[in-house]
Amino acid sequence: MVYETIAFVLFALVTLGCSLGVVLVRDVWHSALLLGGALLSVAVHYVMLQAEFLAAMQILVYVGGVLILITFAVMLTKPTAESTSEVSEA
């Protein structure tokens, strides 16, 4: 019982830390990685509640799908050298 409480508190702190990092970090790529950490820790909470199906869907849909979409969006909208020079002149 004590180990379950320690594990819950640990993953709750990981979830809170990653969630705050998603909001506070300026780099989009690091924000996406922190979002993945937060979503994975929520999946761990589902496993602790003995809801393995929900944990699997959390990982497949959110971590697998949403983070891949964010990664592609970041890669496809990467600023070029011309656009960064225009921004610095303004």
Side-chain angles (χ1 to χ4, degrees):
M1 185 69 178
V2 174
Y3 294 121
E4 292 175 3
T5 306
I6 292 172
F8 176 79
V9 169
L10 176 70
F11 282 105
L13 290 174
V14 169
T15 305
L16 281 172
C18 287
S19 300
L20 283 172
V22 169
V23 176
L24 298 176
V25 171
R26 295 181 61 99
D27 188 24
V28 178
W29 175 246
H30 290 118
S31 180
L33 289 177
L34 287 169
L35 179 64
L39 293 174
L40 281 174
S41 64
V42 169
V44 171
H45 285 292
Y46 286 142
V47 169
M48 291 174 68
L49 290 170
Q50 297 177 351
E52 291 84 10
F53 180 75
L54 284 178
M57 290 301 106
Q58 174 83 13
I59 292 171
L60 285 174
V61 173
Y62 289 110
V63 178
V66 172
L67 284 182
I68 294 298
L69 239 115
I70 291 172
T71 303
F72 284 152
V74 168
M75 289 187 332
L76 292 175
T77 60
K78 192 173 185 177
T80 61
E82 295 174 2
S83 65
T84 57
S85 64
E86 291 172 3
V87 171
S88 63
E89 292 173 2

